[in-house]
Amino acid sequence: DIQMTQSPSSVSASVGDRVTITCRASQGISWFAWYQQKPGKAPNLLIYDASSLQSGVPSRFSGSGSGTDFTLTISSLQTEDFATYYCQQANSFPLTFGGGTKVEIK
Amino acid sequence: EVQLVESGGGLVKPGGSLRLSCAASGFTFSSYSINWVRQAPGKGLEWVSSISSSGSYIYYADLVKGRFTISRDNAKNSLYLQMNSLRAEDTAVYYCARHRTGTYYFDYWGQGTLVTVSS
């Protein structure tokens, strides 16, 4: 199975800050995504193929990386971005997620 | 508008059974692979099972293999999860989620249904 390790597990930031979250796969992968989840809600696909923005997602979100190391960047944090973010490998079954990164208000 | 609506959750005793349903609308259900993904209270996301558009290909997480069965009825635009021999650690919100065409990404999710396994 491909293990996904996210860091940090939580981050405190202020509105307007630049926030970076990383995810590492236990082996090289080609298919990778980021999701946002707000409390009590289902996850929402933000980025697929490591760097492609899902329709309707604000351009302040961006993704980069390849192989085993991937990054999600929020260029200027907005109030509505306080949430938990998960990475996912979409290479092979079993499909696996990272443990999540909670972005909290400083 | 794409919609996925889960139902069937509830409280069940350890060793018991439960059948979840997911009603789909707003898209051609028979053209998409659909999944069950769960989330234990306060925990992260865990993929459970996937079924291809025709039902020909089915995959399970090791933790549920032999106990859970995924199925679909394309005529009724519905997905199911039969859960047997339930354990306390199966307690979670269960989401149905659609695969983005040709990929294993989850592009639409339902609102989830809570399954609680407790005596």
Side-chain angles (χ1 to χ4, degrees):
Chain A
D1 297 3
I2 301 174
Q3 309 303 319
M4 306 300 289
T5 305
Q6 272 182 251
S7 61
S9 57
S10 66
V11 57
S12 293
S14 302
V15 172
D17 284 354
R18 182 182 182 90
V19 172
T20 299
I21 300 168
T22 63
C23 185
R24 175 163 288 176
S26 60
Q27 63 190 72
I29 58 175
S30 301
W31 307 90
F32 177 87
W34 289 101
Y35 299 83
Q36 177 194 66
Q37 186 179 33
K38 297 181 179 179
K41 300 295 186 182
N44 182 46
L45 177 63
L46 290 179
I47 288 171
Y48 62 95
D49 292 350
S51 60
S52 296
L53 214 58
Q54 174 72 347
S55 176
V57 174
S59 58
R60 62 181 179 272
F61 291 93
S62 64
S64 64
S66 63
T68 60
D69 295 299
F70 300 88
T71 300
L72 173 69
T73 299
I74 309 172
S75 60
S76 178
L77 198 65
Q78 301 301 301
T79 303
E80 59 267 31
D81 302 336
F82 290 97
T84 300
Y85 294 83
Y86 294 93
C87 61
Q88 180 226 341
Q89 66 83 11
N91 244 48
S92 60
F93 290 100
L95 304 176
T96 47
F97 294 89
T101 297
K102 188 173 184 179
V103 177
E104 300 174 299
I105 301 172
K106 183 183 283 185
Chain B
E1 179 193 5
V2 172
Q3 281 201 312
L4 297 166
V5 179
E6 303 91 338
S7 61
L11 176 63
V12 61
K13 289 181 168 53
S17 298
L18 210 56
R19 189 195 196 207
L20 305 184
S21 299
C22 173
S25 61
F27 66 102
T28 305
F29 182 73
S30 59
S31 296
Y32 288 85
S33 295
I34 312 289
N35 302 258
W36 290 100
V37 178
R38 69 184 181 184
Q39 186 169 36
K43 303 297 185 182
L45 301 169
E46 180 181 34
W47 170 80
V48 172
S49 182
S50 177
I51 186 167
S52 63
S53 56
S54 64
S56 298
Y57 299 95
I58 287 175
Y59 304 90
Y60 295 101
D62 284 347
L63 284 175
V64 307
K65 201 173 293 183
R67 300 187 299 123
F68 290 10
T69 302
I70 192 171
S71 62
R72 64 191 295 161
D73 185 337
N74 285 344
K76 294 183 177 179
N77 290 344
S78 292
L79 173 76
Y80 307 101
L81 186 68
Q82 178 66 43
M83 303 186 295
N84 298 331
S85 303
L86 282 162
R87 308 165 179 166
E89 53 266 36
D90 294 319
T91 294
V93 173
Y94 285 73
Y95 296 100
C96 62
R98 191 184 83 169
H99 270 322
R100 195 170 186 276
T101 302
T103 76
Y104 295 147
Y105 304 125
F106 306 102
D107 64 351
Y108 284 93
W109 299 64
Q111 85 289 348
T113 187
L114 176 62
V115 172
T116 303
V117 184
S118 174
S119 55

